[in-house]
Amino acid sequence: SQQGEEDPQALSIQEGENATMNCSYKTSINNLQWYRQNSGRGLVHLILIRSNEREKHSGRLRVTLDTSKKSSSLLITASRAADTASYFCASAGTASKLTFGTGTRLQVTL
Amino acid sequence: NAGVTQTPKFQVLKTGQSMTLQCAQDMNHEYMSWYRQDPGMGLRLIHYSVGAGITDQGEVPNGYNVSRSTTEDFPLRLLSAAPSQTSVYFCASSYLGSDLAQYFGPGTRLLVL
């Protein structure tokens, strides 16, 4: 399987804290994407970072990419209860395909 | 725009039955794809298409067929359902020039008995 892996598998934090989740992938990429999935719903695209970028910000999201280690991290700052969801990374290689990681379940409690 | 729509939302099949999962998008996206999501496995690509008349296999294509006769529609056919095909199926679409940043449908939950 070419699937990437994410860690931790599950993360529980309190509202206002930062949440960091990590993703590893296996092959060379053009870009790395992060998606959110609320329970029972489809995935929603959050942010994309290209292979020649090292860091990208969007609102409370910060993504880093280390192509030498084939890894990426997603930081959500000042988490809210509404951020409770599963988060998936997806790597886009030279072929027209996305390869998803196994996901991190984030629980933000009040 | 309705975005990406999928029907049905839920389906129960008996082993050996066939069915078609429907997917449509109204965003004029060239790229469409089908994934299955199983617990602990993330999403796995079944088939994808980069335009009308063009389809290709993903990571787990066995037991599934697709066709792309129009830009809008990308149906997924299960030829002879097996219990191993019990899963949640997601259709997604994107512009080819968008680095494959995908819009997902709401999913079809399939149970094969």
Side-chain angles (χ1 to χ4, degrees):
Chain A
S1 168
Q2 293 299 308
Q3 273 197 305
E5 293 187 1
E6 293 178 60
D7 79 277
Q9 289 186 339
L11 179 61
S12 182
I13 60 173
Q14 290 190 321
E15 205 171 42
E17 294 181 333
N18 296 341
T20 300
M21 48 205 87
N22 305 296
C23 163
S24 63
Y25 57 91
K26 296 183 180 181
T27 61
S28 298
I29 62 170
N30 287 330
N31 69 70
L32 193 288
Q33 305 174 27
W34 286 88
Y35 290 80
R36 183 186 75 233
Q37 183 180 35
N38 291 94
S39 180
R41 309 290 290 271
L43 280 73
V44 175
H45 183 265
L46 294 176
I47 191 167
L48 179 152
I49 184 167
R50 293 193 172 88
S51 60
N52 61 353
E53 298 174 312
R54 291 298 168 257
E55 186 171 313
K56 200 163 186 179
H57 297 256
S58 177
R60 295 184 294 112
L61 305 180
R62 171 178 167 252
V63 172
T64 62
L65 179 64
D66 186 335
T67 53
S68 67
K69 295 181 179 178
K70 291 188 169 60
S71 67
S72 174
S73 67
L74 172 68
L75 168 67
I76 304 174
T77 59
S79 295
R80 306 166 181 167
D83 294 327
T84 293
S86 291
Y87 292 82
F88 294 89
C89 67
S91 56
T94 52
S96 300
K97 302 177 186 180
L98 281 186
T99 300
F100 281 82
T102 50
T104 293
R105 291 189 311 278
L106 174 65
Q107 176 76 44
V108 182
T109 57
L110 296 172
Chain B
N1 286 351
V4 179
T5 58
Q6 292 184 238
T7 56
K9 292 183 179 179
F10 181 70
Q11 183 72 47
V12 179
L13 289 179
K14 294 181 179 178
T15 297
Q17 288 185 316
S18 63
M19 80 161 294
T20 299
L21 280 64
Q22 302 292 344
C23 173
Q25 52 91 10
D26 61 358
M27 297 172 282
N28 204 31
H29 286 166
E30 303 96 342
Y31 186 93
M32 296 187 74
S33 54
W34 276 101
Y35 298 87
R36 60 178 289 174
Q37 183 175 33
D38 302 294
M41 297 288 292
L43 277 77
R44 291 182 292 169
L45 181 65
I46 304 172
H47 286 285
Y48 66 100
S49 168
V50 297
I54 306 170
T55 64
D56 208 343
Q57 295 181 351
E59 184 183 358
V60 288
N62 293 341
Y64 308 96
N65 274 0
V66 293
S67 60
R68 185 95 180 269
S69 56
T70 66
T71 299
E72 295 78 19
D73 301 299
F74 192 44
L76 178 72
R77 281 180 282 276
L78 279 70
L79 307 173
S80 178
S84 61
Q85 294 178 304
T86 292
S87 188
V88 181
Y89 291 85
F90 289 99
C91 179
S93 71
S94 70
Y95 291 113
L96 278 178
S98 67
D99 294 316
L100 295 184
Q102 312 243 321
Y103 290 80
F104 278 81
T108 293
R109 190 174 296 272
L110 178 67
L111 175 61
V112 182
L113 302 175

